[in-house]
Amino acid sequence: MFGLRYIWKNHYKTETMGPESTISTGLLHEERLKGAWLSITFRWMLVFLATASLLFGHRAFGFEEVVHRPVIPAAILILSNVLFLIAHKKRYNPRFIGFAGATIDVSILFLIVDGLASSYDPLAVTAVSVLFLLPAIYLVYTFRGDKGLMYYLIGFSVVLFNLVYVRHYLAAPELFTANISLAPITHFYKSFYLALTGMLCIYLQHSITKLISKQIEEKSHKAELDAEVTLEKEKNRFAGELIEQEKALNRKLAEEIKKRDALAKKLKEKEKLVDSVISNLVGAVYRSVYDATFTTKFGSEKIFD
């Protein structure tokens, strides 16, 4: 569910999510979009299950008042979820949307709980369903990748949980003290359970982030190694091309030397031929410069005779 972390050289700014983890802003936005989609899906499922449960309760047990009371909160939840869905389709997901969603989810939950406790069942203020539903909300918001949002969600939900309890406790303290499941000490442990569950979700978020960061570092390191290997291959290819060019030049030079040697051999043979002709002539052969004294440059041996 989480994305991957890249550093600045991969064209993204970075955003710190904890003391030991950094994930790119671009990829963090993608993962928060995934978390937002998970929240939207969870709300639709919650609306469906709540509607089905209330209709079943109405038909099976005649709880007509219970069915009518959550209509407005459910409508608010559906409307807000439609707006969140439109924003998600446009890939618009600033942080305030997460905080707004958390506020709406928890407020509607405790609004329904408060209404049920006021008009139907005081036990609803500490109902087991609330104790299971809130951790589920914590888990859903964990995947938004926003630690600040998680702290807000946990604190806000625990405060509302206790405010609703205190309100009904002050209205009928004898009922709450007479029932161990409603006693203040029991409620304190339930509040502690909610806070602890939320902190575990924060730790889960932190652990996932560290895991992703480690995976990205390994991938980045692997990418660097691949780049080095590619560079070495290019160097070797270039060196091979230079070696081939050098071999070609050496072959050409060898051919030139061979041609020059052959030409020198021919010249030497001609010299021998000329020397042989000159030495067998009857008379002398000489070569003089056409100057004032006719300087002699060459004279055959016959000149002495």
Side-chain angles (χ1 to χ4, degrees):
M1 288 236 178
F2 267 84
L4 305 176
R5 166 187 149 213
Y6 264 100
I7 53 178
W8 178 262
K9 69 179 181 179
N10 290 337
H11 311 294
Y12 289 112
K13 286 186 178 179
T14 57
E15 178 173 330
T16 301
M17 295 183 64
E20 300 176 359
S21 60
T22 305
I23 293 183
S24 71
T25 302
L27 293 174
L28 181 60
H29 177 69
E30 293 296 324
E31 295 312 317
R32 284 177 174 168
L33 281 174
K34 294 178 183 178
W37 175 251
L38 183 63
S39 300
I40 293 170
T41 305
F42 176 78
R43 288 192 195 97
W44 287 130
M45 294 176 61
L46 185 62
V47 169
F48 173 78
L49 291 175
T51 303
S53 299
L54 291 173
L55 291 176
F56 176 77
H58 173 63
R59 285 184 170 273
F61 304 105
F63 296 157
E64 185 173 350
E65 184 180 358
V66 178
V67 174
H68 293 164
R69 185 173 293 274
V71 171
I72 294 178
I76 295 174
L77 184 61
I78 292 173
L79 178 61
S80 63
N81 211 34
V82 170
L83 295 177
F84 292 152
L85 181 60
I86 294 173
H88 183 272
K89 292 295 183 181
K90 295 181 178 296
R91 301 179 63 81
Y92 179 69
N93 186 39
R95 290 190 72 193
F96 77 84
I97 288 184
F99 283 87
T103 303
I104 292 173
D105 291 343
V106 175
S107 298
I108 288 179
L109 173 63
F110 283 105
L111 183 63
I112 294 174
V113 168
D114 182 69
L116 293 175
S118 298
S119 61
Y120 182 71
D121 184 9
L123 290 174
V125 296
T126 56
V128 175
S129 58
V130 176
L131 297 178
F132 281 109
L133 186 56
L134 276 177
I137 294 175
Y138 295 164
L139 186 60
V140 169
Y141 277 86
T142 296
F143 295 106
R144 276 185 169 268
D146 192 336
K147 185 177 290 186
L149 174 59
M150 287 299 298
Y151 281 121
Y152 169 77
L153 174 63
I154 296 165
F156 184 62
S157 61
V158 171
V159 168
L160 282 188
F161 184 61
N162 285 279
L163 284 177
V164 173
Y165 176 83
V166 170
R167 177 175 178 272
H168 291 277
Y169 176 83
L170 295 177
E174 64 283 351
L175 174 64
F176 284 80
T177 54
N179 194 322
I180 186 64
S181 64
L182 295 177
I185 186 64
T186 305
H187 187 79
F188 169 77
Y189 282 119
K190 292 177 181 179
S191 299
F192 180 75
Y193 158 77
L194 290 177
L196 180 61
T197 304
M199 297 307 295
L200 288 175
C201 288
I202 291 177
Y203 178 75
L204 173 64
Q205 185 185 79
H206 177 71
S207 299
I208 293 175
T209 302
K210 284 186 65 177
L211 177 63
I212 296 301
S213 299
K214 185 176 180 180
Q215 290 177 345
I216 292 171
E217 288 176 358
E218 291 177 354
K219 288 187 177 182
S220 178
H221 181 62
K222 183 177 180 300
E224 291 178 357
L225 291 178
D226 291 342
E228 291 179 0
V229 170
T230 303
L231 182 60
E232 287 299 323
K233 287 182 179 179
E234 288 296 318
K235 287 181 178 179
N236 292 335
R237 184 182 64 80
F238 185 66
E241 291 178 355
L242 290 178
I243 291 173
E244 290 299 324
Q245 291 178 4
E246 185 177 0
K247 287 181 179 179
L249 290 174
N250 289 336
R251 286 193 297 269
K252 187 175 181 181
L253 181 61
E255 291 175 359
E256 291 292 333
I257 293 174
K258 188 176 180 181
K259 289 179 181 179
R260 290 182 182 181
D261 289 343
L263 181 60
K265 185 178 180 181
K266 288 181 179 180
L267 289 175
K268 187 170 286 188
E269 289 176 354
K270 287 182 179 180
E271 273 186 26
K272 287 182 178 180
L273 179 61
V274 171
D275 288 343
S276 176
V277 171
I278 292 175
S279 61
N280 290 303
L281 284 176
V282 177
V285 176
Y286 68 93
R287 180 166 61 87
S288 298
V289 179
Y290 188 66
D291 56 10
T293 59
F294 291 95
T295 303
T296 302
K297 292 290 186 179
F298 171 77
S300 63
E301 292 183 357
K302 292 282 187 175
I303 200 73
F304 299 104
D305 298 337

